[in-house]
Amino acid sequence: MIITVDKFKEFADVKEPDEIIESKLTALESLIRKYTNNNFQVRSIRSQSVILDGKILNPPAFLKTGDTIHITESMLNNGVYEVVSIDDNGMSVSKDLLDCRRNLVTKVEYPPDVVMGAVNMLKWDLQNRDKTGIQSETISRHSVTYFSVDGDKTVMGYPKMLLGFLMPYMKARF
């Protein structure tokens, strides 16, 4: 996960339940990975691993609880997971895994500016999503002007100014 719910709450005062925040963070992580075409893998922390009884046997060295991993080259388990526990019997992750002999397990690590950018995006989403689209509103002597939503000012439903931090991490699509 790009950032834990508890860590996010240190940066933002939110009233939504933890489950909703976690779902939004997961969706935001996926959005950032797709938009940048960057999977943020640490290729030096990688191994071919077997998944048996829902556990990853012989996981890569240097992983710890709370880390994010990316499983690729698997017939059944491709995706991004959070490490829940590591013991002598293997590694457990946040979602159920199917038994599979070939899985490439790689650590995922997000740079601090990507994490903070995601925090800012989610804060904007929670505070301003319901206000988008209103250009101007006047009631008596009270006037309100919100962010205009058009193709030149937004990307993926967010203001372009919030996505500038992703430019150094963009990778070419082939």
Side-chain angles (χ1 to χ4, degrees):
M1 178 174 284
I2 199 160
I3 187 172
T4 64
V5 174
D6 292 334
K7 192 74 170 164
F8 174 74
K9 285 182 172 182
E10 291 177 16
F11 297 108
D13 183 32
V14 293
K15 296 177 180 96
E16 283 77 11
D18 288 356
E19 296 80 26
I20 291 175
I21 301 292
E22 186 173 350
S23 295
K24 288 183 181 237
L25 285 169
T26 302
L28 197 56
E29 177 181 21
S30 176
L31 183 109
I32 288 170
R33 290 168 64 93
K34 295 281 188 208
Y35 180 69
T36 60
N37 198 36
N38 188 340
N39 51 26
F40 298 95
Q41 291 182 346
V42 180
R43 289 179 174 83
S44 59
I45 303 177
R46 167 184 274 181
S47 73
Q48 279 287 346
S49 302
V50 174
I51 296 176
L52 187 62
D53 296 330
K55 284 196 160 211
I56 299 172
L57 309 179
N58 65 329
F62 309 112
L63 286 178
K64 61 186 182 307
T65 301
D67 281 348
T68 302
I69 61 166
H70 188 187
I71 298 178
T72 53
E73 298 180 13
S74 173
M75 304 239 348
L76 304 169
N77 299 303
N78 288 334
V80 178
Y81 302 89
E82 184 179 348
V83 176
V84 174
S85 67
I86 301 175
D87 55 28
D88 295 337
N89 299 329
M91 179 171 65
S92 297
V93 295
S94 56
K95 300 175 195 164
D96 292 334
L97 296 173
L98 301 171
D99 293 353
C100 187
R101 294 189 104 11
R102 292 195 65 231
N103 305 278
L104 185 62
V105 179
T106 310
K107 180 178 181 174
V108 174
E109 193 169 294
Y110 298 98
D113 56 334
V114 172
V115 173
M116 289 310 299
V119 165
N120 290 334
M121 287 175 72
L122 187 53
K123 281 172 53 176
W124 181 89
D125 195 6
L126 294 170
Q127 295 169 356
N128 299 321
R129 178 68 65 188
D130 58 341
K131 298 174 185 173
T132 57
I134 301 172
Q135 180 63 33
S136 181
E137 176 181 302
T138 304
I139 300 171
S140 187
R141 288 178 280 163
H142 178 72
S143 178
V144 177
T145 302
Y146 295 131
F147 184 76
S148 174
V149 180
D150 59 16
D152 293 334
K153 296 180 183 172
T154 62
V155 176
M156 301 179 304
Y158 292 92
K160 273 189 178 179
M161 65 184 177
L162 287 178
L163 277 82
F165 71 96
L166 292 174
M167 294 314 279
Y169 300 102
M170 302 288 274
K171 291 194 173 182
R173 296 179 195 271
F174 294 104

